[in-house]
């Protein structure tokens, strides 16, 4: 059974940090690209960051312009886990954050439509107060 379980959300003041984790099971994690998306109330779900599948130390990471320089995506294939380190958080980062997996060898994760992702987690709420 495929599972993606996010954790690490919470309430933080503007300028603070959160580290989200997504534990995967039930599929060959190493061969999937992993993405983080978010959805704020009344808004559409949007791409935040993506990490390509990785062969050894070679991989590619993509970020939405709104989070470049503040967020970092990483993965640990030994633990079947993908992370999103979020620094310098802003109130506009408040959203439910979802991780997702897509079976692809693509390097540019940011151009893959969300509908092409194969698996999704249930989401974790991150709230940034001003």
């Amino acid at each position: 059974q495929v599972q993606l379980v996010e954790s690490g959300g919470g309430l933080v003041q503007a300028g603070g940090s959160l580290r989200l984790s997504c534990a995967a099971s039930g599929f060959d994690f190493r061969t999937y690209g992993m993405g983080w998306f978010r959805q704020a109330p009344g808004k559409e779900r949007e791409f935040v960051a993506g990490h390509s599948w990785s062969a050894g130390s070679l991989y590619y990471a993509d970020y939405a312009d709104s989070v470049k320089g503040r967020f970092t995506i990483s993965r640990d294939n030994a633990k079947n886990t993908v992370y999103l380190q979020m620094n310098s958080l802003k109130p506009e980062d408040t959203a439910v954050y979802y991780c997702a997996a897509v079976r692809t060898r693509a390097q540019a994760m940011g151009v893959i439509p969300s509908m092409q992702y194969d698996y999704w987690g249930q989401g974790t709420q991150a709230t940034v107060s001003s």
Side-chain angles (χ1 to χ4, degrees):
Q1 180 181 0
V2 171
Q3 280 193 314
L4 291 173
V5 180
E6 300 98 333
S7 61
L11 174 63
V12 65
Q13 289 188 333
S17 298
L18 286 173
R19 189 193 193 206
L20 306 184
S21 299
C22 174
S25 60
F27 63 99
D28 191 357
F29 179 78
R30 297 171 301 169
T31 63
Y32 280 69
M34 298 299 297
W36 283 98
F37 292 78
R38 67 186 180 187
Q39 187 166 21
K43 295 187 177 182
E44 293 186 353
R45 185 169 54 191
E46 63 175 356
F47 172 82
V48 175
H51 193 296
S52 68
W53 77 288
S54 56
S57 61
L58 183 63
Y59 68 92
Y60 297 88
D62 259 349
Y63 298 94
D65 288 343
S66 59
V67 306
K68 280 181 181 177
R70 300 188 298 121
F71 290 12
T72 302
I73 187 172
S74 61
R75 67 191 292 166
D76 185 337
N77 287 340
K79 296 182 178 180
N80 284 4
T81 301
V82 62
Y83 305 96
L84 185 67
Q85 178 66 45
M86 306 190 295
N87 298 330
S88 302
L89 283 162
K90 305 174 181 180
E92 51 264 43
D93 294 318
T94 295
V96 177
Y97 284 74
Y98 301 90
C99 75
V102 57
R103 186 74 163 89
T104 181
R105 294 294 180 98
Q107 298 170 355
M109 296 292 295
V111 300
I112 299 176
S114 60
M115 66 180 65
Q116 290 189 12
Y117 279 72
D118 299 291
Y119 309 120
W120 290 84
Q122 82 290 346
T124 185
Q125 176 72 45
T127 303
V128 184
S129 63
S130 56

